[in-house]
Amino acid sequence: MTDTPARDYRGTVFLPQTPFPMKGDLPKREPGWLARWEKIGLWDRVRAQSAERQKFVLHDGPPYANGALHIGHALNKILKDVINRAAQMAGRDAEYIPGWDCHGLPIEWKVEEEYRNPKGKYKGGVDKDSVPVLEFRAECRAYAAQWLDVQREEFKRLGVAGDWTGRYATMDFASEASIAAEIGKFLMNGSLYRGLRPVMWSPVEKTALAEAEVEYHDHKSAILYTGFPIVKAAAPDLVGAEAVIWTTTPWTIPANRAMAYGAEIDYALLTVDGVADGIELIRPGQRFILAEALIGAFAKEVGLAAFSVSRVFKGAELEGAVAAHPLRGWDKAEGGYAFDVPLLAGDYVTTEAGTGLVHIAPAHGEEDFHLARAHGIGVPECVADDGTYTVQVPGFVGIHVFKAHEAVWAALTEMGHLAGRGFITHSYPHSWRSKKPIIYRATPQWFIAMDDANQIRAKSLQAIADTRFVPDQGRNRIGSMVAARPDWCISRQRAWGVPIAIFVDKRNGEPLRDQVVLDRIDAAFRAEGADAWYQPGAAARFLGNERNPDDFEQVMDIVDVWFESGSTHAFVLRPRGLPVPADLYLEGSDQHRGWFHSSLLESVGSNGYAPFKAILTHGFVLDETGRKMSKSLGNVTAPQEVTQLYGADILRLWVMNSDVADDLRIGKGILAQQAELYRRIRNTLRWLLGNLAEFDDAETLPLAEMPELERWVLHRLTELDARIRQAATDYDWNGVYPDIHAFCATDLSAFYFDIRKDSLYCDARDSLRRRASRTVLDALHRCLTAWLAPALPFTAEEAWLARFPSEDGSVHLQDFPVLPAEWRDEALAAKWETVRNIRRVVTGALEKARAAGTIGASLQAAPSLHLPAEALALLPAETWAELCITSGLTLSDAAAPADAFTMDGLDGIATVFATASGQKCDRCWRVLEEVGKSAAHPTLCRRCEAVVDQRDAA
């Protein structure tokens, strides 16, 4: 015994050193990184250094400049940014031009509200129609510009990289000119025409709507059954009977001009023998014609207590039959419904519901319109743009169609032809802007033909077949829509947008096709914007001296905003020298009927080919329980709140840890989980950085001199590298970042790092084992920072610069590391899969001993590992001890005792626990017999003694 105090060896251990903090503190740090990137001109430098590379173009579908960003915007832009950054780091020149959709009804609606508001900026309220159009358009432009700026900063805060100064907007003068020019292409190739046909119409907004502007909600609708008296038929017994129809739109009855039947449907001629108590609408003795299969449902609905069927006949027998309108002879109509109602064969008539007979109002249904037109039946204009009946609906003029059911019921009752009435709740189309129900209404509109000589439908279907879809089911979705869609209605009756800048000759009703006129319009729009169309004298200016403007109608409709956004390829890509078709279009799955659809039709119609090579779609964002987000439910997750609480990298990690092909869920619990996953990744980076302190390239060890454990880690890097490069090529990132997290948490932190801590902390600075590990850590740092950079741009930048500090350096100026082919070693990977499985049997035994209190740390153990003879040569005993983090380990091929620790599925492998003999080394904590043998360092093992002596000598 001596009074000399024991030496403190902590200062001789190579403990991690790094300025990279454990806590991310992302909400505070991320804005600083954004400012730094702006200061060093990162975007321009990336463009300059990749100028000679092959372009990669993800063409941005424009979000709408109307309000702050929501979580769906964040999902969309983050996914785009990851794909762009990955393409850039994979060796492409990923130039990304963000854009905005600025025209259209939502903005116009907001500005109208401001005009109408007595407390708004126009005190006392102003009728929008009394505001000069140029003033109104200026207000709309200012409104869109304001929100464009807000959204741009919010997108930047999410870490989205792009040409923010060179962004595009549909309201830019050059954009408006190009949109008008694209319309001109359809004018000149003959596909643009004006026609009368039913379109989806919003009576509230007084404009036609596109399919993509419609959403479906439950709606309470009035219904009725009514009979049309047969006045002419081949079979005498049908005359006088009433052909019964059922409809959920009673307001269309005054617009009826025909009836449709199915030629192969079995119809019954029945007589009412009795009615239920309280029924007054139908009467005994009435004769009805309806589908035999629907008699039961009809009888129940109208209160038919007893009836007899005279005969059953095929619908073909109704050919040539004529009925009277059920309002014929109504006094209030003053003869307005005296016309005949022919019965026509319709192949779309079914017996799924109703009566098997369909009333035809050609002004208010697509199929009705076509059937009537095919038989030369006129299309009356029964409903005005505000949803009220016109003078062509005698007896109902001025009544709004959504309030007309009572009046129609009353009129039919008065005439004795109302058989039943009531209400149903069903899914009904609504405008997604006003949230109000819409109608089908025939009005003169401008259409682009789908099946004329230009063959837009056929060419589009071929383009869909040639396009790559991620996921592939998107192909069928958009394909079925294109196959079934009618001609494209592109006109809207509003003020804020690009006008359909054409003229119609009043003498023959034909649109003027003159490229010189179109060129004048184009030049004016580029200089002054589309406002030039609304200036006094515009018609004379554009028509030129050779034409009298009094002979021409100047079309004042604006173009559908989907046509605008669908033509962005024409004014965003080509003028900047970017390739068309673009490599990728990426939006939510609803855009199969929206932007993907309109872009396809517009490009095929004007150029003959699709504007994209591939389409990627993502799902929608729901709350944690799978409900749609709404303010009323209080379950909205706002991206602005997430960045303030967690940071943008957490939101980005949520996106990349989700299966974006399906609907995604988000909420407080899910974000907390993402923060925990992020913490593990950050700790991995911190551990790497700490153990790479003062690393020098001279330390690098060749692959051939590395232990198998290091070579296995390098092989794992090649597997992940292939996974990431494949994702960058396929745009399918599902599971990639979960794999990276699993690699960090399982392969590294819980395995490799745990094993190599001893060598990194305690081996001599220049030992081969330590050099090999540090060589691998160098590769891990370079790979992980690069691979994480697309998804976690802020964290990756911090981790890169923590090791390679620079005034103007950036991980985003790097490419993905090119890994040597020799690192790939499938045989080694297979061997180490076996090794790790065997190791589980040892660590399982150690955990059991730790739980029992036998040991506190695995270094207090020196177990025996029993292996089949063929597995004994896998690794020497000392290597097994390293891997299992024990102070010793004995290998044996003898049969294990009955109480040995085993695991299911690992036959022939067992561990017998034993404590290590000897003393604990004060420096490395291994328990060894050799500790205490040194006179100079009695509390150290031989290895630690040598290292300390070497350090002392230095």
Side-chain angles (χ1 to χ4, degrees):
M1 298 293 293
T2 176
D3 293 334
T4 304
R7 179 174 175 182
D8 186 348
Y9 291 104
R10 286 179 294 182
T12 69
V13 177
F14 299 105
L15 293 177
Q17 299 177 27
T18 177
F20 188 78
M22 182 180 297
K23 185 178 180 181
D25 210 6
L26 298 176
K28 293 181 179 178
R29 288 198 180 101
E30 288 175 344
W33 292 117
L34 290 171
R36 180 181 185 274
W37 294 336
E38 189 78 23
K39 179 181 177 182
I40 67 175
L42 181 59
W43 176 259
D44 292 336
R45 289 176 61 197
V46 172
R47 299 280 66 73
Q49 79 172 26
S50 56
E52 301 304 316
R53 294 177 172 183
Q54 181 184 359
K55 291 283 188 185
F56 174 80
V57 176
L58 189 167
H59 180 41
D60 190 32
Y64 200 67
N66 182 25
L69 300 182
H70 57 66
I71 196 68
H73 289 124
L75 161 64
N76 179 262
K77 273 294 198 292
I78 288 170
L79 186 57
K80 289 175 178 175
D81 190 54
V82 170
I83 288 173
N84 276 322
R85 289 180 184 272
Q88 181 69 41
M89 298 184 81
R92 301 285 292 276
D93 178 14
E95 187 161 357
Y96 176 63
I97 314 297
W100 275 269
D101 198 352
C102 302
H103 293 131
L105 191 51
I107 288 172
E108 187 167 343
W109 197 255
K110 287 291 185 181
V111 174
E112 280 189 28
E113 288 180 346
E114 190 66 37
Y115 273 110
R116 290 193 297 263
N117 183 3
K119 297 181 181 180
K121 64 190 293 186
Y122 308 101
K123 300 299 183 182
V126 178
D127 179 8
K128 172 253 180 180
D129 293 334
S130 68
V131 180
V133 65
L134 290 173
E135 177 187 326
F136 183 80
R137 287 171 59 86
E139 291 291 342
C140 292
R141 181 176 292 277
Y143 181 92
Q146 169 204 342
W147 284 112
L148 188 156
D149 290 340
V150 169
Q151 290 186 4
R152 173 166 48 193
E153 294 309 307
E154 290 179 335
F155 280 135
K156 290 166 72 173
R157 177 62 186 88
L158 294 174
V160 179
D163 188 357
W164 295 108
T165 57
R167 96 291 175 276
Y168 79 86
T170 56
M171 69 178 183
D172 292 339
F173 289 179
S175 301
E176 291 182 332
S178 294
I179 293 164
E182 290 298 297
I183 299 170
K185 290 181 181 179
F186 288 92
L187 173 69
M188 296 304 290
N189 67 26
S191 290
L192 181 68
Y193 70 92
R194 179 186 268 174
L196 176 71
R197 57 181 296 169
V199 295
M200 287 181 291
W201 183 271
S202 169
V204 172
E205 295 146 333
K206 300 180 184 178
T207 186
L209 299 178
E211 178 68 29
E213 297 169 305
V214 173
E215 58 190 17
Y216 288 80
H217 301 291
D218 283 349
H219 179 69
K220 184 178 180 181
S221 293
I223 65 166
L224 64 75
Y225 289 88
T226 191
F228 286 67
I230 301 294
V231 296
K232 176 185 176 183
D237 61 342
L238 299 183
V239 176
E242 296 180 55
V244 184
I245 63 90
W246 172 80
T247 182
T248 60
T249 54
W251 62 267
T252 60
I253 291 296
N256 174 276
R257 293 298 183 271
M259 296 181 70
Y261 61 85
E264 296 302 315
I265 293 176
D266 289 326
Y267 289 93
L269 175 61
L270 66 81
T271 300
V272 178
D273 296 327
V275 299
D277 291 342
I279 297 300
E280 299 177 353
L281 294 178
I282 58 173
R283 304 169 303 280
Q286 276 188 289
R287 294 188 301 142
F288 293 124
I289 299 170
L290 70 157
E292 181 186 27
L294 293 167
I295 292 175
F298 171 72
K300 180 179 178 181
E301 288 293 318
V302 303
L304 186 58
F307 60 88
S308 54
V309 175
S310 303
R311 66 186 181 97
V312 175
F313 57 93
K314 290 293 184 183
E317 192 174 324
L318 294 171
E319 182 178 358
V322 176
H325 194 285
L327 293 177
R328 177 183 286 185
W330 184 38
D331 289 343
K332 291 183 180 179
E334 299 179 348
Y337 300 99
F339 49 82
D340 287 341
V341 176
L343 275 69
L344 310 172
D347 55 11
Y348 56 86
V349 180
T350 71
T351 57
E352 292 180 4
T355 65
L357 293 165
V358 178
H359 107 86
I360 303 299
H364 303 293
E366 189 73 28
E367 291 171 328
D368 297 27
F369 174 83
H370 288 299
L371 186 63
R373 275 290 179 89
H375 290 83
I377 297 172
V379 181
E381 192 169 342
C382 296
V383 179
D385 60 4
D386 64 353
T388 59
Y389 286 124
T390 68
V391 293
Q392 295 198 48
V393 190
F396 302 98
V397 176
I399 298 176
H400 196 283
V401 294
F402 290 143
K403 299 178 180 179
H405 57 278
E406 293 282 0
V408 172
W409 284 346
L412 291 173
T413 301
E414 184 179 335
M415 297 306 298
H417 296 306
L418 184 65
R421 66 184 181 185
F423 293 94
I424 63 167
T425 298
H426 61 151
S427 181
Y428 190 85
H430 290 65
S431 166
W432 69 269
R433 299 183 184 99
S434 66
K435 308 303 180 185
K436 300 297 183 182
I438 66 170
I439 62 174
Y440 275 87
R441 173 178 178 249
T443 61
Q445 301 287 343
W446 289 95
F447 296 89
I448 290 175
M450 294 292 294
D451 301 302
D452 65 350
N454 206 7
Q455 294 185 304
I456 293 176
R457 190 191 314 276
K459 293 176 182 177
S460 295
L461 291 173
Q462 182 58 53
I464 290 168
D466 296 337
T467 297
R468 185 166 160 228
F469 286 83
V470 183
D472 192 64
Q473 55 260 39
R475 183 189 318 277
N476 293 335
R477 185 172 182 187
I478 191 173
S480 62
M481 291 176 181
V482 170
R485 66 157 298 129
D487 288 351
W488 186 4
C489 176
I490 67 163
S491 51
R492 299 292 182 267
Q493 291 66 50
R494 303 299 294 185
W496 175 230
V498 175
I500 298 177
I502 61 178
F503 295 93
V504 176
D505 193 324
K506 294 178 181 178
R507 294 163 294 187
N508 56 24
E510 286 295 313
L512 175 64
R513 293 182 172 88
D514 187 331
Q515 191 61 50
V516 173
V517 173
L518 295 178
D519 290 343
R520 288 194 195 111
I521 295 169
D522 181 78
F525 281 21
R526 290 185 187 281
E528 308 160 35
D531 283 358
W533 189 250
Y534 301 92
Q535 295 288 352
R541 173 187 183 184
F542 296 132
L543 288 168
N545 296 330
E546 61 272 23
R547 291 188 177 90
N548 182 354
D550 292 338
D551 293 336
F552 292 87
E553 172 198 350
Q554 182 183 357
V555 175
M556 301 308 289
D557 287 350
I558 63 168
V559 73
D560 173 19
V561 290
W562 291 105
F563 182 96
E564 289 192 19
S565 60
S567 59
T568 53
H569 61 88
F571 57 85
V572 176
L573 303 182
R574 286 191 182 86
R576 301 169 194 252
L578 299 176
V580 180
D583 292 281
L584 182 65
Y585 274 33
L586 188 169
E587 299 299 330
S589 56
D590 58 330
Q591 295 307 312
H592 288 115
R593 67 171 186 159
W595 189 57
F596 300 148
H597 196 127
S598 63
S599 296
L600 174 66
L601 299 185
E602 202 288 325
S603 182
V604 166
S606 60
N607 302 308
Y609 52 83
F612 40 67
K613 297 177 183 176
I615 284 178
L616 187 151
T617 53
H618 58 75
F620 298 98
V621 185
L622 309 173
D623 75 1
E624 286 182 297
T625 64
R627 297 178 302 172
K628 184 178 180 180
M629 292 186 187
S630 72
K631 292 181 180 179
S632 62
L633 291 174
N635 63 344
V636 173
T637 297
Q640 299 85 352
E641 295 173 359
V642 178
T643 55
Q644 289 172 9
L645 184 62
Y646 290 102
D649 269 359
I650 302 299
L651 192 59
R652 296 173 69 101
L653 188 62
W654 161 74
V655 172
M656 301 315 295
N657 278 337
S658 303
D659 182 354
V660 298
D662 293 328
D663 289 342
L664 295 76
R665 298 187 181 192
I666 195 170
K668 292 180 180 179
I670 290 173
L671 286 169
Q673 293 169 6
Q674 298 304 313
E676 177 61 21
L677 296 176
Y678 171 83
R679 185 187 64 80
R680 294 174 190 165
I681 292 172
R682 186 176 184 90
N683 284 347
T684 299
L685 294 171
R686 188 169 188 268
W687 200 90
L688 286 170
L689 289 163
N691 287 284
L692 281 167
E694 301 179 5
F695 178 81
D696 187 273
D697 288 344
E699 276 189 64
T700 303
L701 203 65
L703 182 70
E705 299 180 33
M706 290 187 182
E708 282 190 6
L709 178 58
E710 275 63 35
R711 287 192 280 126
W712 171 79
V713 175
L714 296 179
H715 168 80
R716 286 288 290 123
L717 286 179
T718 66
E719 291 182 324
L720 285 170
D721 177 67
R723 182 97 164 82
I724 286 162
R725 291 182 184 276
Q726 192 64 47
T729 299
D730 295 345
Y731 318 126
D732 184 0
W733 288 86
N734 184 30
V736 172
Y737 283 95
D739 283 354
I740 292 176
H741 172 265
F743 174 67
C744 291
T746 305
D747 292 347
L748 297 182
S749 294
F751 182 63
Y752 180 67
F753 292 172
D754 210 22
I755 292 166
R756 281 297 184 242
K757 277 190 296 187
D758 175 73
S759 175
L760 289 164
Y761 295 177
C762 299
D763 275 1
R765 184 184 297 274
D766 59 351
S767 77
L768 290 182
R769 185 171 60 177
R770 188 172 188 275
R771 285 179 59 196
S773 183
R774 299 240 295 170
T775 300
V776 168
L777 297 189
D778 172 55
L780 282 168
H781 175 266
R782 293 176 185 273
C783 286
L784 285 176
T785 51
W787 294 343
L788 291 170
L792 306 178
F794 299 104
T795 302
E797 183 79 315
E798 185 182 5
W800 179 263
L801 293 175
R803 185 172 173 212
F804 304 115
S806 168
E807 288 295 321
D808 60 357
S810 173
V811 70
H812 304 296
L813 292 167
Q814 308 298 314
D815 287 344
F816 291 142
V818 177
L819 306 187
E822 61 181 349
W823 287 7
R824 189 90 178 185
D825 192 334
E826 299 292 349
L828 181 69
K831 173 182 176 179
W832 275 75
E833 183 177 2
T834 301
V835 167
R836 293 185 74 179
N837 281 330
I838 293 172
R839 180 179 183 266
R840 289 168 49 215
V841 181
V842 179
T843 57
L846 298 178
E847 282 300 318
K848 184 178 179 181
R850 184 182 287 111
T854 307
I855 58 172
S858 62
L859 286 173
Q860 295 174 268
S864 296
L865 176 59
H866 293 256
L867 296 174
E870 65 272 15
L872 277 178
L874 281 172
L875 296 172
E878 58 269 23
T879 301
W880 278 114
E882 280 183 27
L883 296 183
C884 298
I885 316 177
T886 59
S887 291
L889 186 141
T890 303
L891 287 177
S892 174
D893 62 352
D899 60 350
F901 182 85
T902 60
M903 294 183 75
D904 292 342
L906 295 172
D907 297 337
I909 302 169
T911 299
V912 177
F913 174 79
T915 56
S917 61
Q919 298 181 52
K920 177 182 176 181
C921 174
D922 274 358
R923 186 168 178 272
C924 69
W925 298 359
R926 290 187 299 168
V927 178
L928 301 169
E929 294 281 356
E930 64 194 48
V931 177
K933 301 295 176 64
S934 168
H937 303 284
T939 61
L940 298 187
C941 67
R942 295 297 186 188
R943 175 192 59 165
C944 289
E945 176 186 12
V947 174
V948 170
D949 285 344
Q950 183 185 44
R951 288 177 65 105
D952 289 348

